[in-house]
Amino acid sequence: AKWLARLPTTRMPAGQQADVIVALRIAGARRATLRPRLARMARRSPGYARTPGAAAKIVVASAAAGVDPRRLGGVDYLARMRRGGVAPGRFGSTAFDHGLAMIALRAAGRPVPRGAVTALRASRSGPGWSFDLDPGDPPDLDSTALSVIALRAAGVRATNPVVRSATTWIARKRAGGGWTSASGTAANANSTALATRALLATGRRPTSSLAFLRSLQERSGAVRHTRSRGGNRALATIDAVAPLAGVSLASGIGPPT
């Protein structure tokens, strides 16, 4: 988190600024210290938050800083997040639009509509979910992990058969200590962090995947993308903070229940 806090934000996209704010809050930063960052983010947010998933990131960052997302810079990001559904109950067109919106509602202290849970359950691809939430497509790791977190954010029990089936599938996909989003590639920080959060959201303590994430951390505090490639250290570090802190975001910006 200290490494992230030192990154310059001048050219940082609004979505990445939002993710940094959330990571810093998870790591213990006080809300008041995050508000100058939020103000800088808000200047770029209107042009960024054009999809439900992008608006959801702004909502979570606002909640992290203790600011009403309906009145951030004169824009109602909850209203933006609720626009763009392609089917009843759906937020946007992808697993990331839908899942992030459900998680954002929990972070903002708002109820997740029952229709959002019904729509997500109806779009399953076998044991998991695909990126475009098409039941005819094969499931992928990242979309499935995010969907598990979203269901838990909506109050679906960890013992629910849909959640249990998905988490069992996620656990079986682990390789080399972590997870990868594509077959034949090395385990990476981003997919491992998301899968670990899904397991944390269901009450598990995935010690081996947490150890894998720690093995990717450099002396500076930054986290590498894989053991052999540094990659985008900013994105890898942002993603790693929550699981390393034991936070899934299924219970809001705090420890899982």
Side-chain angles (χ1 to χ4, degrees), residues 176-195:
W179 282 267
T180 178
S181 56
S183 60
T185 58
N188 66 72
N190 307 87
S191 293
T192 299
L194 195 52

Side-chain angles (χ1 to χ4, degrees), residues 112-188:
V112 179
R114 183 170 295 182
V117 174
T118 300
L120 189 55
R121 293 181 64 159
S123 63
R124 292 173 72 205
S125 298
W129 287 265
S130 66
F131 177 75
D132 57 4
L133 295 179
D134 185 340
D137 291 341
D140 70 80
L141 187 282
D142 291 359
S143 300
T144 300
L146 187 65
S147 295
V148 167
I149 300 165
L151 287 173
R152 292 290 290 130
V156 178
R157 293 180 182 273
T159 55
N160 182 279
V162 172
V163 175
R164 291 180 65 180
S165 175
T167 51
T168 298
W169 182 83
I170 290 169
R172 288 175 178 166
K173 299 292 286 185
R174 181 164 47 204
W179 282 267
T180 178
S181 56
S183 60
T185 58
N188 66 72

Side-chain angles (χ1 to χ4, degrees), residues 25-221:
R25 176 62 179 161
I26 288 171
R30 291 183 295 112
R31 286 174 169 172
T33 67
L34 296 174
R35 286 172 189 159
R37 289 179 175 272
L38 192 75
R40 291 194 293 273
M41 180 202 74
R43 291 194 284 271
R44 295 191 173 190
S45 298
Y48 165 75
R50 298 185 182 279
T51 64
K57 286 197 173 196
I58 305 303
V59 170
V60 178
S62 300
V67 172
D68 188 343
R70 298 172 302 174
R71 298 179 176 86
L72 181 63
V75 180
D76 184 342
Y77 288 98
L78 279 172
R80 282 198 177 199
M81 192 179 75
R82 292 184 174 112
R83 294 201 297 263
V86 297
R90 281 274 294 272
F91 293 98
S93 59
T94 69
F96 279 76
D97 279 335
H98 194 71
L100 287 172
M102 292 171 70
I103 292 165
L105 287 171
R106 179 62 187 265
R110 304 303 172 91
V112 179
R114 183 170 295 182
V117 174
T118 300
L120 189 55
R121 293 181 64 159
S123 63
R124 292 173 72 205
S125 298
W129 287 265
S130 66
F131 177 75
D132 57 4
L133 295 179
D134 185 340
D137 291 341
D140 70 80
L141 187 282
D142 291 359
S143 300
T144 300
L146 187 65
S147 295
V148 167
I149 300 165
L151 287 173
R152 292 290 290 130
V156 178
R157 293 180 182 273
T159 55
N160 182 279
V162 172
V163 175
R164 291 180 65 180
S165 175
T167 51
T168 298
W169 182 83
I170 290 169
R172 288 175 178 166
K173 299 292 286 185
R174 181 164 47 204
W179 282 267
T180 178
S181 56
S183 60
T185 58
N188 66 72
N190 307 87
S191 293
T192 299
L194 195 52
T196 302
R197 282 174 52 202
L199 298 182
L200 286 168
T202 60
R204 303 190 189 190
R205 182 67 181 174
T207 54
S208 60
S209 56
L210 290 169
F212 175 77
L213 285 174
R214 288 193 293 270
S215 76
L216 298 178
Q217 191 170 37
E218 301 172 338
R219 287 189 176 186
S220 65

